[in-house]
Every structure is written in structure tokens, then in C-alpha cells.
Amino acid sequence: MNYGDSQNQSIADMNVTPMIDVMFVLLVLFLVSIPLMVPQTMGVDLPDTQPHNAAEADDEPYRLAIRADGVIELDGEEISEDALLERFESIADEEGARVLLEADKNVTYERIATLMVDAQVAGVAQLGFLTEAESNR
């Protein structure tokens, strides 16, 4: 045996280039076909995202504010807690009425939660929060 002779030596390495080409084609076919299969396999009927009534979106929400000293304001006017409960009931009778709550950061959670429960008991269906973004973040 002469190991130095390159003509008599058999090639022991396998050529993997055709196998890599086939795998690449399969990968591309898989990536192209997967978006076509997903909606049918999930079986989800997505809802329409168009607004149902444009007039409802134009309605201004009521603004309920709680100042640091505990004073409650509805749309910029001071209001007592008893009058607020009556006002919540009239707001609940309006279709699509929204109340946005803004509270000073020094107001306790208990105070905010009490007003939220009062609104819920009166029948106010849509209650949201207003916050102020910090500019130093």
C-alpha cells in the first residue's frame, strides 16, 4: 500500500451539496406554505373592527376629578358626594355615556375605589382613568 499515491486513493468524503440544496428548497416551501395553513387550522372567525356608530365616538366623556384636598369635581364643577351619586344615576341612564376618572397621586386608593363602586352600583357601564405621562422618562 502506497499512501502517498493520490491516483490510487479512493475518495472517502461524501458530497453533501445536493442534500443541502434539497433541504433549502424544502425550508422555503415550508415557510411559504405555513401562513396559508394557519387561518384554516385555527378556526377563528375574527370580528369586524369598524366602529358601529360614529356618533358614540364623538360624545365627550364626563370628567370626574379628585383633588389632593379631597374635593370632587365633575366636568370642572365642585360636587358633593350625595349629589355625585344622583348624577351617576342620571349618567347611567344615558346610552354610551363614559366617565373618565382623574385623581391626584396623593389621593388614597380607598377613596378612588369607593367612587368606582358608587359608579358601578349606580349603573355606570364605562369608567376609565386619566393619567399624565412623565416627560423625564
Side-chain angles (χ1 to χ4, degrees):
M1 261 195 198
N2 187 359
Y3 291 108
D5 190 8
S6 61
Q7 291 178 352
N8 291 336
Q9 194 176 27
S10 64
I11 299 176
D13 294 332
M14 177 188 271
N15 189 3
V16 294
T17 304
M19 184 174 65
I20 292 173
D21 290 343
V22 169
M23 295 304 286
F24 179 70
V25 169
L26 289 175
L27 177 67
V28 169
L29 288 175
F30 178 73
L31 291 176
V32 168
S33 65
I34 205 69
L36 301 174
M37 295 186 319
V38 170
Q40 290 87 15
T41 58
M42 291 176 61
V44 176
D45 186 20
L46 298 176
D48 184 19
T49 58
Q50 299 298 323
H52 295 289
N53 190 352
E56 287 181 7
D58 293 337
D59 292 341
E60 282 293 319
Y62 293 94
R63 290 177 164 252
L64 179 65
I66 309 171
R67 296 192 319 220
D69 58 1
V71 174
I72 301 172
E73 295 179 356
L74 184 65
D75 288 336
E77 297 178 11
E78 285 188 26
I79 189 168
S80 68
E81 227 170 299
D82 294 331
L84 180 63
L85 296 176
E86 293 174 12
R87 190 72 176 111
F88 277 154
E89 291 174 359
S90 66
I91 290 171
D93 292 338
E94 297 177 24
E95 187 174 335
R98 298 173 293 156
V99 176
L100 296 179
L101 175 64
E102 53 186 338
D104 189 273
K105 64 181 176 182
N106 295 320
V107 175
T108 63
Y109 174 75
E110 180 181 10
R111 179 85 166 124
I112 296 170
T114 302
L115 287 177
M116 290 174 59
V117 169
D118 291 344
Q120 182 183 15
V121 168
V124 175
Q126 296 184 26
L127 180 66
F129 292 99
L130 288 176
T131 61
E132 187 173 305
E134 289 185 32
S135 60
N136 295 336
R137 284 191 178 181

